[in-house]
Amino acid sequence: MIVDFGHLAEQTARRYRAAGRFTEGFVRGKLRHDPVYAYLLSNPDWLPRTGAILDLGCGRGILMSLLSEARRLDLISLSNAQFFGIDLRPNDVAAARLALGDEAKIAVADVRTAALPACRAVVLLDLLLYLAAEEQEALLERIADVLPDGGALVMREADAGSGLSFQATRTAERLCALARGHFRQRYHYRSEPEWKGLLEALGFSVKAVPMSEGTPFANVLFIARRRNPSLTAD
């Protein structure tokens, strides 16, 4: 099926009208200019047809809203999938709830300590960089524990080994933090091989996809599948 992503993005952005013009415009801009959304929709193998999809650090719920709208238009097969989101920012969660209504359950909580529901797929977009190294590892371990054999983890992070494009990414993150008034925000980045090695050590098979098209940044999308531990044990 050929998807008119521009039309789908517009329909998704309109879900946020009740949250105000700024939020609607922000969502529209993200869908138009951030390549990850079109990629995840046009490469849906990671999506479970049944069970839960958990978006950690979901923000305004843009990905869940996009998937929900695509399901409404019969563009993807998600007949029995459920959406769950967790984010620390109450205002963003409020916008997500307005856009999704009863199509998703979204909690205001800290992903480092929140209970993770049983799920078939977990999404982490641009989240782990805000956590310390040991917090990143602890969260990924908990995700590995709740995912079944064959479950998917989809995460995007910057590649700290990519030179000038990584410097552009780090500078943009610092400017965004300053704009939000987060003057002491700390980050922990890893290189693509380091992310991949960490995931493989937790029992995932990993595919890494460059995810910076049309931007100056150093983003990489990791699509990881949980392997049956009994099949990988020594």
Side-chain angles (χ1 to χ4, degrees):
M1 178 182 295
I2 298 175
V3 176
D4 181 348
F5 187 78
H7 174 72
L8 176 61
E10 180 60 29
Q11 292 297 109
T12 302
R14 289 178 183 176
R15 286 174 168 244
Y16 291 84
R17 189 151 292 174
R21 292 187 177 218
F22 174 82
T23 298
E24 181 184 354
F26 177 86
V27 171
R28 183 177 289 111
K30 284 289 289 182
L31 290 171
R32 286 179 177 175
H33 302 298
D34 189 332
V36 73
Y37 297 104
Y39 181 88
L40 290 176
L41 190 75
S42 60
N43 295 270
D45 290 348
W46 65 276
L47 286 168
R49 294 194 177 188
T50 61
I53 299 170
L54 173 62
D55 191 342
L56 296 176
C58 65
R60 296 171 177 87
I62 298 176
L63 180 60
M64 290 186 289
S65 293
L66 179 70
L67 295 175
S68 182
E69 189 65 20
R71 175 168 62 182
R72 185 183 71 82
L73 297 172
D74 292 325
L75 299 176
I76 53 176
S77 298
L78 281 176
S79 57
N80 295 313
Q82 304 163 313
F83 297 118
F84 292 89
I86 297 174
D87 198 275
L88 193 58
R89 296 163 291 187
N91 289 342
D92 285 354
V93 168
R97 288 171 175 168
L98 283 172
L100 285 150
D102 60 4
E103 298 174 273
K105 295 181 179 179
I106 307 170
V108 178
D110 190 327
V111 298
R112 294 171 295 185
T113 55
L116 305 183
C119 53
R120 296 286 306 177
V122 176
V123 178
L124 293 168
L125 296 182
D126 311 321
L127 170 70
L128 293 177
L129 72 159
Y130 299 112
L131 306 184
E134 62 274 14
E135 293 172 335
Q136 294 173 350
E137 293 160 14
L139 179 56
L140 290 173
E141 286 175 5
R142 291 202 296 133
I143 290 169
D145 287 341
V146 299
L147 281 174
D149 182 32
L153 167 60
V154 175
M155 57 177 263
R156 181 172 69 175
E157 289 295 329
D159 174 9
S162 59
L164 289 177
S165 57
F166 171 66
Q167 297 304 322
T169 304
R170 185 161 60 177
T171 299
E173 286 291 345
R174 290 190 180 281
L175 290 174
C176 287
L178 291 173
R180 294 192 295 264
H182 298 167
F183 304 111
R184 298 183 179 181
Q185 177 68 59
R186 294 186 177 183
Y187 306 93
H188 185 76
Y189 297 98
R190 301 175 192 252
S191 67
E192 179 183 328
E194 288 172 332
W195 285 120
K196 189 174 181 180
L198 177 57
L199 292 171
E200 289 175 340
L202 290 171
F204 289 95
S205 58
V206 185
K207 174 184 177 182
V209 183
M211 200 49 56
S212 300
E213 184 178 358
T215 77
F217 304 128
N219 293 324
V220 177
L221 185 71
F222 299 91
I223 301 177
R225 287 281 180 184
R226 188 79 168 101
R227 298 191 301 256
N228 187 330
S230 66
L231 299 180
T232 58
D234 292 334

